Amino acid sequence: MTNEIWVLCKIKDGQPTRTSKQMLNAAGALAAEKDLAPVKIVLGGEPYEATRHLAALGQLIDSRGKPWAILAGAGANDLELMPRLAARLRTGYAGSVVGLRWEGDRLAAKRPVYGGRAYEEIAFVQTPALVTVRPGAFSQPGELDPPETMGMETVAIDVSQSPGPVVLEQEATASTAEDLSEAPRVVAGGRGMGTAGNFKLIEELADALGAAVGASRAVVDAGWRPHDEQVGKSGKTICPELYIACGISGAIHHVLGMNTAKVVVAINTDPEAPIFKNADYGLVGDALKVVPALTQALKQSLNKE
Amino acid sequence: MGLKIVVLVKQVPDHEAIIQVKSATELDIEDRYVCSFYDEIAMEAALSIKKEHPDTELTALSAGGRRAVDALRRAVAMGIDLVERVGDEPLDSAESLQVAEALATRLKEHRPDLVLCGKLAGHDDQAAVGPMVAEFLGIPHMSAVVSLKVDPAGRKARAGRQVEEGVWTIESDLPLLVSTEKGLAEPHIPVVTRVMKAMQAKIENFPAQIESKESVRRIGYLPPPSRPEVLLMTKEFPDNVAELVGRLQETGALS
């Protein structure tokens, strides 16, 4: 057993991702309360493959000792890795965690259940506590960079040698230029956009804001947008700082994917649409008219700043 | 010798079921349970593998009490050959690690070439049982799979995994565990005659064998976050757009 809390960081363009930074800050705060040391772990070795990354993490635990906790982002790869590690170590696992605190000497995690219709708080009885964090959920004002002094361990992983599954091809989907679950701002469109072609208006507003594009289930099912843009149950659950829902009625399965966003704006023709019950700011009007006007207005106001 | 595929299935509240926090220790869950959406995708994927390779045996396995029975009846109705239930009511509320161990212990008897399961079940939303089962079995696994091709002769499978950046094509030897993402298959609705037949199906039950100790303990339930009443823009278009921008500037959401 070491006196450490590990954070598995995802590095993009040489920088920890937004979620990684948030986890590092959270780990730093938790560690400070108990005189533990936060350690930044970077699993190096592309492409990622669960079997080998798991083996590398296992070796790191053997050589450094078991940490108190390991935090990872709830991205596709961490979601493969962390539950499996929990089974290997026969220890506790909590997924999609939105909050962490100490309950006495045990780490406690708050997480959604039943698709976010309720939340539970659990305490880890075994260590290490394995946690995947919902992307963006640990947001703090200012999103400070974690201190440089934080411990750092880069683990090189040889993905070419050992037996196991082989990644043959990594096809990037054009629409995920800005990863939806990591994006601090998201502009999403629904049936109210009228046609697939009208999503150009959503893209332009997203561009003006530096936001990612999201979509409701209805338009994904209609084939207007790819599934990886779907927000909600059976799609992505996201926690951006700003979410703008355009022509989305706000069915429960959609709301469950975005109700942890910080600031929500809803634009819809129907003042009775349930999306307005899950928004901070509402504008009753036709998204086809309002969205381009909002794009123009934002461009002007952002230029001024 | 043909392929052996086991699909892990589970009954979960319908996505429109009303679920409320009754107290710190209890949830009020409307009694509207269905087979998990992703598990039905897994069953449909198994059925299409069997269509391509007819010498395939499909088994559905579920852990828990009477709800597990319902999930398995759905499996029979969908066309799965054999069904088995492991454990009983206590497993309905057991933690992921223990459910995974119970399933894996039973799977070891089957020695399947392929295990299919949903990416997550809509109850604890942990997405953990699949990867944990793979670990207990000591076989590779791939999560969030959107395409799957099995080569029984070469004892290999090729899968497309949905990751944040796109789709990765991965090849693995069998045996393998695959958890399904939306898009892999479109579950068919079983015909009434099959549903009726499934009601009569005999479902064998096996005791759960679990060594894992309690690893997490629930402190309590909490209601979901709520938002204050929406602030509606009051001006006419296009002035309401400027009004909205003004509001967003005040919150700091644009800086």
Side-chain angles (χ1 to χ4, degrees):
Chain A
M1 189 92 182
T2 73
N3 64 339
E4 294 173 343
I5 294 179
W6 297 358
V7 178
L8 297 191
C9 283
K10 193 170 174 184
I11 305 292
K12 205 172 177 184
D13 305 325
Q15 281 284 320
T17 60
R18 174 168 165 252
T19 302
S20 295
K21 279 186 195 173
Q22 293 174 357
M23 289 192 295
L24 288 165
N25 283 317
L30 288 166
E33 277 185 59
K34 296 283 175 189
D35 217 9
L36 302 173
V39 179
K40 190 194 304 185
I41 309 272
V42 180
L43 296 180
E46 291 285 330
Y48 162 90
E49 192 286 308
T51 317
R52 295 176 186 81
H53 279 65
L54 186 71
L57 204 49
Q59 281 165 17
L60 188 68
I61 290 168
D62 289 343
S63 63
R64 272 183 98 93
K66 281 184 188 174
W68 273 81
I70 306 178
L71 277 55
N77 293 341
D78 295 315
L79 284 174
E80 276 197 335
L81 194 62
M82 296 292 276
R84 192 160 181 155
L85 181 64
R88 181 166 295 188
L89 302 174
R90 294 210 188 226
T91 191
Y93 169 73
S96 298
V97 168
V98 298
L100 285 171
R101 67 176 178 91
W102 291 105
E103 165 90 0
D105 276 335
R106 286 178 174 154
L107 198 61
K110 183 180 164 186
R111 55 183 304 279
V113 290
Y114 296 98
R117 283 170 282 182
Y119 280 67
E120 67 173 3
E121 198 175 35
I122 57 108
F124 288 92
V125 182
Q126 312 275 350
T127 51
L130 302 189
V131 174
T132 56
V133 173
R134 174 176 286 186
F138 282 16
S139 92
Q140 282 158 339
E143 302 277 9
L144 295 173
D145 280 326
E148 291 290 331
T149 49
M150 198 175 272
M152 168 94 179
E153 181 89 13
T154 303
V155 184
I157 296 167
D158 188 348
V159 290
S160 61
Q161 295 301 317
S162 47
V166 185
V167 178
L168 301 175
E169 198 187 336
Q170 293 175 281
E171 184 200 343
T173 320
S175 61
T176 45
E178 173 77 60
D179 170 21
L180 189 56
S181 45
E182 281 290 337
R185 293 169 182 171
V186 172
V187 180
R191 189 79 87 178
M193 294 310 294
T195 65
N198 286 341
F199 262 74
K200 195 163 169 287
L201 304 175
I202 298 285
E203 285 166 3
E204 285 165 358
L205 176 55
D207 255 2
L209 280 165
V213 173
S216 72
R217 187 173 82 181
V219 305
V220 171
D221 286 350
W224 296 3
R225 302 302 293 185
H227 175 240
D228 57 12
E229 286 183 5
Q230 184 180 326
V231 175
K233 211 167 150 62
S234 82
K236 288 191 170 124
T237 302
I238 56 172
C239 310
E241 301 295 314
L242 175 63
Y243 186 81
I244 305 184
C246 311
I248 294 178
S249 64
I252 179 74
H253 56 78
H254 182 77
V255 167
L256 292 173
M258 47 63 77
N259 66 355
T260 45
K262 270 275 170 62
V263 175
V264 176
V265 175
I267 301 164
N268 201 299
T269 44
D270 177 8
E272 299 300 319
I275 191 72
F276 288 117
K277 292 203 167 54
N278 295 282
D280 300 288
Y281 301 99
L283 196 157
V284 178
D286 183 357
L288 295 181
K289 277 187 353 198
V290 174
V291 171
L294 183 58
T295 306
Q296 283 311 314
L298 283 170
K299 273 188 185 160
Q300 281 168 13
S301 98
L302 291 169
N303 277 343
K304 259 186 260 165
E305 278 168 15
Chain B
M1 161 81 187
L3 270 177
K4 264 191 102 160
I5 301 180
V6 180
V7 188
L8 307 179
V9 297
K10 166 133 205 165
Q11 204 78 348
V12 298
D14 181 87
H15 70 92
E16 279 173 353
I18 296 165
I19 295 170
Q20 277 167 333
V21 179
K22 200 169 170 184
S23 71
T25 54
E26 204 181 346
L27 292 181
D28 214 346
I29 301 173
E30 190 187 355
D31 194 12
R32 279 170 70 181
Y33 281 75
V34 292
C35 183
S36 174
F37 168 70
Y38 292 106
D39 297 349
E40 287 202 348
I41 294 175
M43 288 196 275
E44 193 65 44
L47 290 166
S48 63
I49 293 170
K50 181 162 177 156
K51 207 173 264 176
E52 199 176 333
H53 308 286
D55 189 17
T56 297
E57 182 191 87
L58 304 181
T59 304
L61 179 64
S62 188
R66 67 179 167 89
R67 293 218 169 86
V69 172
D70 291 341
L72 292 168
R73 293 209 190 284
R74 182 73 177 177
V76 174
M78 284 187 75
I80 302 294
D81 306 319
L82 304 163
V83 292
E84 276 182 10
R85 179 168 69 98
V86 62
D88 222 319
E89 304 290 339
L91 270 186
D92 289 342
S93 52
E95 55 180 83
S96 312
L97 197 60
Q98 294 169 340
V99 173
E101 195 185 356
L103 290 168
T105 309
R106 187 63 212 145
L107 281 167
K108 279 179 188 161
E109 303 290 321
H110 283 277
R111 306 173 62 86
D113 301 296
L114 183 65
V115 181
L116 285 167
C117 63
K119 176 179 85 162
L120 61 79
H123 58 114
D124 66 1
D125 299 352
Q126 285 270 53
V129 168
M132 285 175 170
V133 166
E135 178 63 25
F136 284 128
L137 294 176
I139 63 173
H141 86 279
M142 298 174 196
S143 289
V145 164
V146 290
S147 68
L148 179 63
K149 207 86 189 147
V150 181
D151 168 13
R155 296 202 48 76
K156 277 187 188 304
R158 190 175 283 204
R161 257 192 85 213
Q162 180 79 60
V163 297
E164 284 76 9
E165 297 84 0
V167 176
W168 292 1
T169 307
I170 306 179
E171 190 172 76
S172 170
D173 291 338
L174 300 176
L176 169 72
L177 183 142
V178 164
S179 82
T180 60
E181 174 62 283
K182 185 179 173 184
L184 174 63
E186 200 61 51
H188 73 278
I189 295 169
V191 293
V192 177
T193 48
R194 289 213 70 122
V195 175
M196 302 292 281
K197 204 179 130 206
M199 296 310 284
Q200 312 299 324
K202 202 170 148 15
I203 296 170
E204 208 174 342
N205 181 220
F206 297 86
Q209 291 170 33
I210 301 166
E211 283 172 24
S212 297
K213 291 188 201 70
E214 178 190 44
S215 69
V216 294
R217 186 173 301 161
R218 186 174 297 112
I219 299 171
Y221 289 111
L222 306 154
S226 62
R227 231 168 259 281
E229 182 132 2
V230 63
L231 189 80
L232 287 176
M233 299 307 115
T234 52
K235 295 181 179 158
E236 291 295 310
F237 183 81
D239 294 337
N240 53 5
V241 174
E243 188 186 359
L244 177 62
V245 172
R247 288 292 184 182
L248 290 177
Q249 277 165 337
E250 282 168 26
T251 64
L254 297 179
S255 52

